Amino acid sequence: MAELTLVDDVAVLKVKYPPVNALGSAVRSGIVECLQKASVNPTVKSVVLCGDGRTFPAGADISEFNSPAKANKSPNIIEVIHAIEASEKPVVAAIHGTALGGGLELALGCHYRIIRKDGMVGFPEVSLGILPGGSGTQRLPRVTEVTDALTMITSGRPVSAKQALSKGIVDKVVDGDIVKHGISFAKSVANQPVGPRRISDWKVNAPQDVHKIFDEMRRSVIRTSRGAIAPLVCLQSVEAAFICPTYQEGLQREAELMMTLMTSGQARAQQHAFFAERSVAKWEVPSKGVGYKTAKPVPIRSAAVIGAGTMGAGITMALISIGIPTYLVEQNEKFLMRGVETIKGYVGYNVQKGRTTASQAQRLQTLLKPTLDYEDLRGVDIVIEAVFENMKVKKEIFARLDSVCKPDAILASNTSGLNIDEMAAVTKRPESVIGMHFFAPAHVMKLVENIYGEKTSAVAMATVMDLSKKLKKIGVLVGNCHGFVGNRMMARYVTEALFLLEEGCLPHEIDQALRDFGFPMGIFQATDLSGLDIGYKGRQEQGLIGTGNTASARYRNGQRYCPLPDTIAEMGRLGQKSGKGWYNYGKPGGRIPERDPEVEQLIVDFSNKHGIKRRKIYPDEIIERCLYPLINEGFKILQEGIANKMEDIDIVWLCGYGWPRHTGGPMFYAKQVGLQRIYERLLHYQKTFHQSSYWQPAGFLKKMTLQLANKL
Ligand code: 3HC
């Protein structure tokens, strides 16, 4: 796990624990053993600490967090760091890849730090629901400004080598072989005294207005953390470095705060999210006997996107950003040019933000190939159709693509819920037809829900999963059903929120409860953002609209139905784009929602008209009624095999729908609440709202609940 070699009078201590050299217990003891050997070897004048393979240690071994015996086994991470710092021979951290969390703490225990110019350092612990508990919160403010330390630790965002140098975190940035540079640096400091290089002996950088800085930062952290406790506790731990008279006392406080976080449900949820995010790449479709281990992707060297609207432009931007030449196809010049302008806007914005250089921007323009002619698509490897949600139009496009594209080209649809098999059926290559459901804005949002149909081949599945990864997105492979995983669950959530309006809530009350739960915005704000016309068209296609606003207006196909969004949309209140929706935005394109008396009166009048006695509904009920039907649908999705595992559902919601990470996703949250409790509440609401069949608990949930009860 750690190896020591001698180069002249320099001992090279290399951590060898692929893939990311995480600091598991064997690695920790390996480092200390090697260090001892170096310290007693009279030839050794200095030591280089580095990582084998792709990176310097990327942190503590997160998989050990569930077994405290392993995680705390001596030497623990602080003991390792203190052993390094105590060395009488200078130790140089030679960083390449990502020195994260415990990895950066290890480097800060060394007497010097050099980094390869493409390296990164950071403290991502906050995203795991914990803090840099290996002395990171005490060391970072000793080497850098308090605001930098606070920002890095509370946000979890890593910094580049160049930034690390300017912030005083590293001593030198180098180019080329990191071990060679480490050795020559170690030789240059071999005879320097190590005492002044021990960071734990340094004073913190405390400016005069340090308390003001903490107060401002505290307010900002509370405002942005949306119910997650780790960011605030991270801040408290950094603050301890300024309050406590000594490093040791600060360290003690850090340990106490770390313990508080480690034992919180939020840390478990966030660590679940970390591993779930990685588990979705290991996709499997048991019913077809295929999976990531056996199916090989084909390379995508060229692509086409049909439709230059918001989704099409975003998908095209994502494709050209990873160097794939992409045809953007429209039916007329006006629409095509609008799409091209949208993409130019995205590129221009990135240049303005310094994320893209002028020459990179130029290259992106050459990769973009606007066209009105399907004939241009003859040689492309994949086509992604991204026109509006109309099956007739989509089928026409798929038939046309089938006749033009080369036989092995993959034909994908960016539908958000329509039947993939229906589209596949109009082609002679149903095995190459698949769904790729991107989320808006498609060049930014992480999630791609990839949907296999009845006849989709394993190669097509592997290819879109591989392409999602290359696009730096998280692909989740799911089965075909109306709405797939995300929108199918979403439908329950939206529907129940509307019933809450009828019974006594106003939009801002529901949205507030959802924001307090941790969503970045409530469901009515979100609907205003995406546009009320989208849902309206969908309901129109399903024949749900137009029964008249009579008593029967509240039922469709034997199910309870709320026509309020139809009325709102018919008033031309389509959301942010028209300046009014559930809220008032002042002007079309406005972004700040204000309560609107017109809408609120309309809701109250609706309840009165239909004899619904309005009542005060408390946040607990709002949360249960919005989220439990969604969770129940998740269990049905698992039962039907549409999703293969709970993690797939959690990632769809965490990465596509703003589900708060500190609750781990809907399925993990259900387990934390207790399946028995969810089951009982579903039964309770089923009795009360028997006209909504979705309260019927999923068979799979019932089975799991009974199994758990039997185990007790
Ligand atoms: N512990 C355990 N396993 C880890 C790990 C860690 N710290 N970091 C990554 N892994 C595993 C992943 O689960 C994955 O396993 P798999 O192949 O079985 O799915 C494998 O390593 C490769 O990881 P990625 O797929 O994420 O590889 P990438 O190349 O895309 O990314 C990375 C590399 C940027 C290092 C990324 O893995 C990452 O961000 N890791 C987490 C870093 C982190 O959070 N460090 C802090 C840990 S907490 C800590 O240090 C506490 C301390 O303060 C006391």
Side-chain angles (χ1 to χ4, degrees), residues 59-77:
D61 188 340
I62 305 167
S63 62
E64 283 187 352
F65 290 178
N66 278 338
S67 58
K70 259 192 183 173
N72 298 326
K73 190 170 172 216
S74 189
N76 65 30
I77 203 155

Side-chain angles (χ1 to χ4, degrees), residues 14 17 75 100 107 153 200 211 257 293 316 341 384 439 453 463 480 490 518 587 590 624 670 673:
K14 200 175 259 185
Y17 186 39
L100 300 176
I153 291 175
S200 63
H211 296 301
L257 292 169
K293 279 191 189 147
T316 307
E341 286 309 312
I384 304 173
F439 289 70
T463 304
N480 185 26
M490 180 82 172
K587 57 176 191 299
E624 283 191 354
V673 170

Side-chain angles (χ1 to χ4, degrees), residues 19-20 54 58-62 101-102 105 124-125 128 132-133 274 278 282:
V20 298
R54 64 203 231 202
D61 188 340
I62 305 167
E105 289 167 324
E125 283 86 343
L128 296 167
F274 176 87
R278 280 143 186 93
K282 294 164 188 155

Side-chain angles (χ1 to χ4, degrees), residues 348-486:
Y349 180 78
N350 284 347
V351 172
Q352 195 191 326
K353 287 272 166 195
R355 294 179 197 141
T356 304
T357 63
S359 68
Q360 283 167 336
Q362 196 108 49
R363 168 148 169 76
L364 291 181
Q365 305 285 2
T366 62
L367 292 170
L368 173 62
K369 300 180 182 306
T371 181
L372 299 174
D373 190 356
Y374 273 60
E375 289 299 317
D376 285 340
L377 313 187
R378 285 199 174 277
V380 298
D381 297 318
I382 189 167
V383 184
I384 304 173
E385 164 278 309
V387 304
F388 55 95
E389 289 291 80
N390 181 297
M391 182 54 92
K392 190 164 165 278
V393 176
K394 287 188 191 276
K395 278 184 178 172
E396 280 165 17
I397 291 173
F398 270 81
R400 201 165 165 196
L401 290 173
D402 190 38
S403 67
V404 171
C405 295
K406 62 180 182 181
D408 55 348
I410 290 177
L411 306 182
S413 172
N414 174 52
T415 175
S416 58
L418 297 180
N419 190 340
I420 297 297
D421 290 334
E422 261 192 68
M423 293 174 223
V426 300
T427 72
K428 288 186 223 63
R429 59 177 99 189
E431 71 285 356
S432 301
V433 176
I434 194 159
M436 283 190 88
H437 175 206
F438 289 82
F439 289 70
H443 58 300
V444 176
M445 289 288 284
K446 279 271 183 196
L447 181 69
V448 193
E449 207 179 9
N450 293 320
I451 307 104
Y452 61 87
E454 180 81 37
K455 297 190 175 153
T456 307
S457 68
V459 174
M461 295 180 210
T463 304
V464 297
M465 287 298 281
D466 186 56
L467 179 61
S468 308
K469 190 168 180 201
K470 293 206 165 102
L471 289 168
K472 300 185 183 65
K473 296 191 183 294
I474 298 174
V476 181
L477 190 72
V478 303
N480 185 26
C481 65
H482 187 73
F484 316 132
V485 168

Side-chain angles (χ1 to χ4, degrees), residues 38 67 119 147 235 239 305 425 464 480 489 532 537 557 619 623 632 658:
S67 58
T147 43
L235 179 139
E239 202 170 23
V305 174
V464 297
N480 185 26
M489 291 166 74
L532 271 81
K537 276 190 203 136
N557 308 326
I623 292 301
N632 194 31

Side-chain angles (χ1 to χ4, degrees), residues 328-341:
L328 179 62
V329 188
E330 255 300 350
Q331 47 182 325
N332 64 46
E333 191 72 25
K334 187 175 154 214
F335 289 171
L336 187 61
M337 282 309 117
R338 201 176 55 192
V340 170
E341 286 309 312

Side-chain angles (χ1 to χ4, degrees), residues 17-24 54-65 77-78 81 97-105 122-128 130-137 254 258 262 271 274-275 277-279 281-282 469:
Y17 186 39
V20 298
N21 294 317
L23 299 165
R54 64 203 231 202
T55 186
F56 194 80
D61 188 340
I62 305 167
S63 62
E64 283 187 352
F65 290 178
I77 203 155
I78 295 189
I81 291 165
T98 41
L100 300 176
L104 178 54
E105 289 167 324
F123 282 124
E125 283 86 343
V126 69
S127 65
L128 296 167
I130 55 171
L131 54 78
S135 72
T137 65
E254 181 188 89
M258 178 69 156
M262 263 301 196
Q271 286 150 30
F274 176 87
F275 286 113
E277 210 164 285
R278 280 143 186 93
S279 79
K282 294 164 188 155
K469 190 168 180 201

